[in-house]
Amino acid sequence: MKVSVITVVKNNERTIRQAIESAIGQRNVDLEYIVIDGKSTDKTLKIIKEYKSRISVLISEKDKNLYHALNKAIKLATGDIVAILHSDDVYASDHVLADVVKCFEETDCSTVYGDLAIVKHDEPDRMVRYWKSGKFSKSKLYMGWMPPHPSFFVKRELYQKYGLFDTNFRISADYDLILRIMSEEGKHSCYLPKLLVKMRAGGASNNSPKNLMKKMNDDYLVVKKHKLGGLFTVVMKKVIKMHQYIVLDNMRLWRKESVGLFGIRTLPSCTETEFTVPSRRLR
């Protein structure tokens, strides 16, 4: 199966190189890499062009917004699977895409998702939060649950079936798209319980109280649109983030307790590859 990885960027010379190298450095995968640059005025485009031979599609032109650029890229994608890797993000290892493809190939799932680590912007090896997605159930959607968008992999045919990002949502279009897909396809989803993506802290929706309020308002409009709750759902979506700090603390404690006398880990790796799917969907 071919994977189309999409990166959209504008004026991000600090981290675009790491994102690109993370994508093109994936092993044992049929990769199509699409980069959409929003007419950057810093050194971003110059850095991108250093990797031009490894990039399948490169477009540099003005876009209306992030989601408009993502829609443009999805329309250009030819892969069986579509993945989005933002310019501040990196894959957790060089075999993430191979693991995802294996999950698709060995099951009949239409989406695959995993865990995500929010890391310090200048220290990507230092975790701030650990977003453990967990198994899907539709009832969780009413509680503000969603898989992290960067670690959400979708068969391209679903974009044709359910549509692209709704650009009327300036901040929550990813939440809207995930609810649109998962409310129908969640029962055919596959949870890969391992770290797939590292995302740098400080996204557009979290960089000011004003943007946080805009985000919550957008989220409220999204859940009402899909009839999947209301204000309680939006509040719980924020509460869930508190749990991510607890998960991280438990992981740190586990690491301390699992090191033996000679510094050898005595428990299996917390990133052990194993996927969870509805049994009736297995071939």
Side-chain angles (χ1 to χ4, degrees):
M1 301 179 79
K2 180 162 73 173
V3 182
S4 296
V5 175
I6 295 168
T7 297
V8 168
V9 62
K10 182 177 180 181
N11 294 335
N12 197 5
E13 62 184 14
R14 292 179 62 190
T15 62
I16 185 60
R17 186 184 300 278
Q18 289 175 295
I20 292 173
E21 291 183 351
S22 176
I24 64 177
Q26 292 294 299
R27 296 185 292 114
N28 303 318
V29 66
D30 183 5
L31 175 69
E32 175 183 62
Y33 191 34
I34 301 172
V35 179
I36 307 293
D37 171 67
K39 209 70 176 175
S40 293
T41 56
D42 62 359
K43 295 179 182 178
T44 297
L45 186 57
K46 181 180 178 181
I47 294 170
I48 294 171
K49 287 182 175 179
E50 292 178 26
Y51 301 89
K52 195 171 182 179
S53 64
R54 304 289 303 278
I55 296 173
S56 309
V57 179
L58 170 59
I59 296 176
S60 181
E61 61 186 20
K62 288 186 177 180
D63 298 297
K64 294 177 183 178
N65 53 44
L66 168 66
Y67 298 117
H68 175 258
L70 287 170
N71 285 343
K72 183 194 306 181
I74 292 168
K75 291 176 183 177
L76 294 169
T78 63
D80 304 289
I81 303 163
V82 176
I84 294 172
L85 185 71
H86 296 298
S87 62
D88 275 336
D89 304 346
V90 294
Y91 288 121
S93 72
D94 60 5
H95 53 82
V96 165
L97 295 185
D99 290 343
V100 168
V101 169
K102 179 182 178 183
C103 191
F104 273 108
E105 290 179 339
E106 295 187 357
T107 71
D108 196 20
C109 288
S110 55
T111 68
V112 171
Y113 63 94
D115 297 345
L116 176 141
I118 294 89
V119 300
K120 287 197 171 185
H121 199 277
D122 296 322
E123 299 177 80
D125 290 327
R126 292 191 63 184
M127 276 194 285
V128 177
R129 300 199 324 260
Y130 190 87
W131 189 334
K132 185 174 179 61
S133 298
K135 298 178 183 180
F136 168 82
S137 71
K138 191 163 183 177
S139 62
K140 287 184 178 180
L141 299 180
Y142 292 90
M143 300 294 290
W145 177 90
M146 66 177 285
H149 186 234
S151 63
F152 184 61
F153 300 83
V154 181
K155 283 187 176 178
R156 183 166 57 91
E157 62 197 51
L158 294 191
Y159 286 105
Q160 299 165 344
K161 183 176 181 179
Y162 296 105
L164 304 173
F165 290 98
D166 184 345
T167 56
N168 291 315
F169 295 111
R170 300 298 300 271
I171 300 178
S172 299
D174 53 345
Y175 185 36
D176 170 65
L177 180 70
I178 287 174
L179 288 189
R180 203 186 318 151
I181 292 175
M182 292 298 280
S183 61
E184 298 296 330
E185 299 287 334
K187 59 183 177 293
H188 305 319
S189 65
C190 171
Y191 171 47
L192 192 59
K194 63 180 295 185
L195 178 61
L196 301 183
V197 176
K198 294 180 182 180
M199 180 177 75
R200 286 179 170 84
S205 62
N206 299 308
N207 58 16
S208 72
K210 183 179 179 181
N211 277 353
L212 281 171
M213 291 305 296
K214 285 183 178 179
K215 171 67 173 170
M216 291 189 72
N217 183 66
D218 254 19
D219 285 350
Y220 178 77
L221 294 175
V222 167
V223 297
K224 295 301 287 184
K225 170 186 172 182
H226 295 285
K227 299 179 180 178
L228 288 169
L231 183 59
F232 175 77
T233 307
V234 175
V235 172
M236 286 304 299
K237 189 169 181 282
K238 294 297 179 185
V239 171
I240 287 173
K241 288 188 177 182
M242 297 172 61
H243 176 69
Q244 293 167 9
Y245 290 99
I246 296 171
V247 170
L248 178 58
D249 286 341
N250 287 340
M251 287 175 63
R252 287 170 175 159
L253 179 62
W254 173 83
R255 288 190 183 113
K256 289 178 182 178
E257 292 178 345
S258 63
V259 175
L261 292 174
F262 301 99
I264 300 173
R265 199 172 299 282
T266 57
L267 294 175
S269 169
C270 62
T271 58
E272 180 181 356
T273 303
E274 177 184 329
F275 46 81
T276 306
V277 297
S279 58
R280 66 183 183 83
R281 300 287 295 180
L282 289 172
R283 288 174 178 166

